[in-house]
Amino acid sequence: MNGDFSSLPVGKIVCVGRNYADHAKELNNAIPAEPILFMKAPNALVSLEEPFAVPMGRGSCHFETELAILVGERLTSASVSEAKKAIVGIGIALDLTLRDVQDKLKGMGLPWEKAKAFDGSCPLSEFVSYSGDLQNIDLKLERNGRVVQDGNTRDMIFPTLELLSEISEHFTLVPGDVVLTGTPAGVGPLSPGDTLTVLLGDALKVNTSVIY
Ligand code: ZN
């Protein structure tokens, strides 16, 4: 990981659903046999370091705190070691989800984009270079002073590098693309006025809030 990513364009955001067993369980979902992939477009990105808005009048909007990976090399059908070499930074993201809308779409067997890929649905931190173990990073979210998510990347069902390799079998990843790696348990609704502290191990700590 070389950390030199200031000139990368903003690409697509590839996300994985149900990558932590405790989160799959809290939403009464089965443990997947292969990664459940979906995407957000660049219109989803906003800075996590700035106060951000959530959609109003579309039911509950849940936070999902996730390790974000910045891709720095083109990956098609990549091996795990190729995936490792292509990571240029890590960050933390909120995969905002209109849960009521998603439940309705899931019930009808329809795609999730309206619930997952709306404008501003991916508040994202800066990226930092990281040379430690990707599968031993604490992920924590405090909402209004109370810890609501407290997980560790060791609990991923599909570890980060396997996930990048698997994604690249389906969608070529290019420099500037971001991969969100799933959320641990504890997801819940956000409300305007909430104050949030988001932690990624010792690498990042972001204080932010939800605006009206
Ligand atoms: Zn998610």
Side-chain angles (χ1 to χ4, degrees), residues 12-13 15 38-42 44 94-96 116-117 121-122 180:
K12 61 184 174 290
I13 306 149
C15 310
F38 58 96
M39 286 193 232
K40 299 178 191 249
L94 297 179
D95 167 19
L96 296 183
K116 284 284 197 181
S121 61
C122 190
L180 302 193

Side-chain angles (χ1 to χ4, degrees), residues 15-19 23 38 40 63-66 94-97 99 112 116 180-184 187:
C15 310
V16 57
R18 302 173 203 166
N19 200 26
H23 169 64
F38 58 96
K40 299 178 191 249
F63 52 81
E64 297 188 356
T65 309
E66 312 201 359
L94 297 179
D95 167 19
L96 296 183
T97 304
R99 193 70 70 199
W112 296 356
K116 284 284 197 181
L180 302 193
T181 55
T183 191
V187 303

Side-chain angles (χ1 to χ4, degrees), residues 2-44:
N2 60 33
D4 178 18
F5 41 73
S6 54
S7 62
L8 287 177
V10 175
K12 61 184 174 290
I13 306 149
V14 183
C15 310
V16 57
R18 302 173 203 166
N19 200 26
Y20 289 76
D22 58 354
H23 169 64
K25 199 173 162 193
E26 74 179 342
L27 295 183
N28 295 314
N29 288 314
I31 305 293
E34 60 181 90
I36 298 168
L37 303 178
F38 58 96
M39 286 193 232
K40 299 178 191 249
N43 62 289

